Amino acid sequence: MNRRTPSGAAVLRPGITAAITDTVLAELVERGYARLSMEGVAKRAGAGKSALYRRWHTKQEMVLAVLAELSVPLADVEDTGSLRDDLRAMIGAVAAWLTEPPFSRILPDLTAEANRTPELAEAVAATIGEPRRALARPTLERAIARGDLPADTDLEMAQDLMAALIYWRLVVRQAPAEPDYLDRVTETVLRALGASTK
Amino acid sequence: MNRRTPSGAAVLRPGITAAITDTVLAELVERGYARLSMEGVAKRAGAGKSALYRRWHTKQEMVLAVLAELSVPLADVEDTGSLRDDLRAMIGAVAAWLTEPPFSRILPDLTAEANRTPELAEAVAATIGEPRRALARPTLERAIARGDLPADTDLEMAQDLMAALIYWRLVVRQAPAEPDYLDRVTETVLRALGASTK
């Protein structure tokens, strides 16, 4: 592409500036996706509306860019070579993402909104879900290669398992969990996958 | 209790009348919990406000009474004596509850609302979650008694498993599922529980 270098106010700083990120998160927590507006974010962040519209065409694009920038790297967990340790680390990272503010406040609202708007659901999957799963998948593939998981492991089910139990217990049910709950989830997932590391 | 029999308009018909039930469900689907009001329900159902307030003190009570009356009986699945068949039937019933209208539209919104309001979360658990779990638990206890499940089976985790995968895949992710998805979930749950019926 042939791009000329913009000057002055038109220069876009790389990444998403802290003020906009913080404001988008605060608005999502306090008001929810449906009532958030680009105008409201610009005003609260002390930025011009045009500064936002130069970066994102729509509210959906803006919100998902902010959420993806913070959510995707959290799925990048170090591969230790031990399936149990890797699963425990991944499950711990998923639990932190799903259950700690601000995401614990944002994700249930975003899920409800995506349930009304299939286009939003697809965009959430494309910008957050799939990139997160792509980061975690090699760890499972290496476990298969080592023989710690069956060769025919259903990777999508495996990845669902790591988030599903936590989301259901702690976010949907909001039920209490034992101190060793994440360890128990890890053992449950290992059994569910037919792992040979017992 | 010493109750006098009310007469005329004050007589409360047993159960929840169809008009109120249908209206509460429609309002939850179309407007969501936050914007539903007892006044709005009374008007749309063609009932007097007093008819509603005689039954329920608050919107929360009314909504949960309607949802519980429809949700709880769905968890009452016939016990076949075969763990695999029982789990498959329970998982099928949970999937129908979570993924078919009107509940597929109502539950994500209710979850988001309960996330903002701990009191609502507790009431949902008391009126819907716990009664549903109490209905399904004896089937698992019989499987333990038969030796099909380990004696130390974590029943709460077992019950979470039956809903969690489905909710995560089909409601949160809104991802496609293979035609045999519920069978695969059943096999995954059997393995996760260390079931001896293979």
Side-chain angles (χ1 to χ4, degrees):
Chain A
M1 270 193 299
N2 183 19
R3 283 192 179 171
R4 63 192 187 82
T5 308
S7 63
V11 174
L12 298 183
R13 277 166 290 177
I16 300 169
T17 62
I20 296 177
T21 297
D22 291 351
T23 304
V24 168
L25 295 176
E27 290 276 300
L28 288 172
V29 167
E30 292 165 25
R31 301 166 54 80
Y33 182 87
R35 290 191 293 163
L36 176 148
S37 71
M38 289 181 81
E39 288 72 14
V41 169
K43 199 170 172 185
R44 186 166 172 178
K49 259 170 58 175
S50 59
L52 268 63
Y53 279 108
R54 272 200 304 278
R55 296 176 181 207
W56 308 289
H57 293 102
T58 64
K59 159 175 129 174
Q60 177 178 301
E61 253 185 53
M62 177 180 73
V63 167
L64 294 186
V66 167
L67 295 182
E69 188 172 64
L70 295 171
S71 299
V72 173
L74 296 178
D76 195 8
V77 171
E78 199 189 351
D79 190 331
T80 66
S82 149
L83 178 59
R84 174 172 276 110
D85 292 346
D86 288 349
L87 284 183
R88 180 62 181 78
M90 288 195 277
I91 286 165
V94 168
W97 179 57
L98 293 177
T99 68
E100 290 170 16
F103 286 98
S104 60
R105 296 277 158 217
I106 291 170
L107 295 175
D109 174 70
L110 195 67
T111 297
E113 209 56 47
N115 205 261
R116 290 184 200 103
T117 314
E119 187 211 335
L120 176 60
E122 281 169 37
V124 170
T127 59
I128 301 175
E130 283 314 314
R132 283 182 52 91
R133 295 167 86 88
L135 277 173
R137 202 172 295 122
T139 298
L140 296 173
E141 287 167 345
R142 279 192 282 269
I144 293 173
R146 285 196 308 270
D148 292 343
L149 285 177
D152 65 348
T153 295
D154 179 340
L155 288 178
E156 188 173 7
M157 186 79 84
Q159 295 200 290
D160 281 355
L161 272 163
M162 283 185 267
L165 284 164
I166 293 161
Y167 196 79
W168 183 255
R169 169 84 64 106
L170 302 178
V171 180
V172 178
R173 294 182 53 213
Q174 292 185 59
E178 309 86 347
D180 65 346
Y181 174 64
L182 296 183
D183 296 329
R184 297 164 78 109
V185 170
T186 305
E187 297 308 314
T188 301
V189 173
L190 281 168
R191 279 197 304 275
L193 297 179
S196 58
T197 54
K198 282 292 163 64
Chain B
M1 270 193 298
N2 183 17
R3 283 193 179 172
R4 63 190 187 83
T5 307
S7 63
V11 174
L12 298 183
R13 278 166 289 177
I16 300 169
T17 61
I20 296 176
T21 297
D22 290 350
T23 304
V24 168
L25 295 176
E27 290 276 302
L28 288 172
V29 167
E30 292 165 25
R31 300 166 56 79
Y33 182 87
R35 291 191 292 163
L36 177 149
S37 71
M38 289 181 79
E39 289 70 13
V41 169
K43 199 171 172 187
R44 185 168 172 176
K49 259 169 59 173
S50 60
L52 267 63
Y53 279 108
R54 272 200 304 277
R55 297 176 179 204
W56 308 289
H57 293 102
T58 63
K59 160 175 128 174
Q60 176 178 301
E61 254 187 53
M62 177 181 74
V63 167
L64 294 186
V66 167
L67 294 182
E69 188 171 64
L70 295 171
S71 300
V72 174
L74 295 179
D76 195 8
V77 170
E78 199 188 351
D79 191 331
T80 67
S82 149
L83 178 59
R84 173 171 276 109
D85 292 347
D86 288 349
L87 284 184
R88 181 61 181 78
M90 289 195 277
I91 285 165
V94 169
W97 179 56
L98 294 176
T99 67
E100 289 171 15
F103 286 98
S104 59
R105 297 276 157 217
I106 291 170
L107 295 176
D109 174 71
L110 195 68
T111 298
E113 208 56 46
N115 205 261
R116 290 184 200 105
T117 315
E119 187 211 335
L120 175 60
E122 281 169 36
V124 170
T127 58
I128 300 176
E130 284 314 315
R132 282 182 53 91
R133 294 167 86 88
L135 277 173
R137 202 173 294 122
T139 298
L140 295 173
E141 288 166 344
R142 279 192 283 268
I144 293 172
R146 285 195 309 269
D148 292 342
L149 285 178
D152 65 349
T153 296
D154 179 340
L155 287 178
E156 189 174 7
M157 185 79 84
Q159 295 201 289
D160 281 355
L161 272 164
M162 283 185 267
L165 285 164
I166 292 162
Y167 196 78
W168 184 255
R169 168 85 63 106
L170 302 178
V171 180
V172 178
R173 294 181 55 215
Q174 292 185 58
E178 309 86 350
D180 66 345
Y181 174 64
L182 296 182
D183 297 329
R184 297 164 79 110
V185 170
T186 305
E187 297 307 314
T188 301
V189 173
L190 282 168
R191 279 197 306 274
L193 297 179
S196 59
T197 53
K198 283 294 163 62

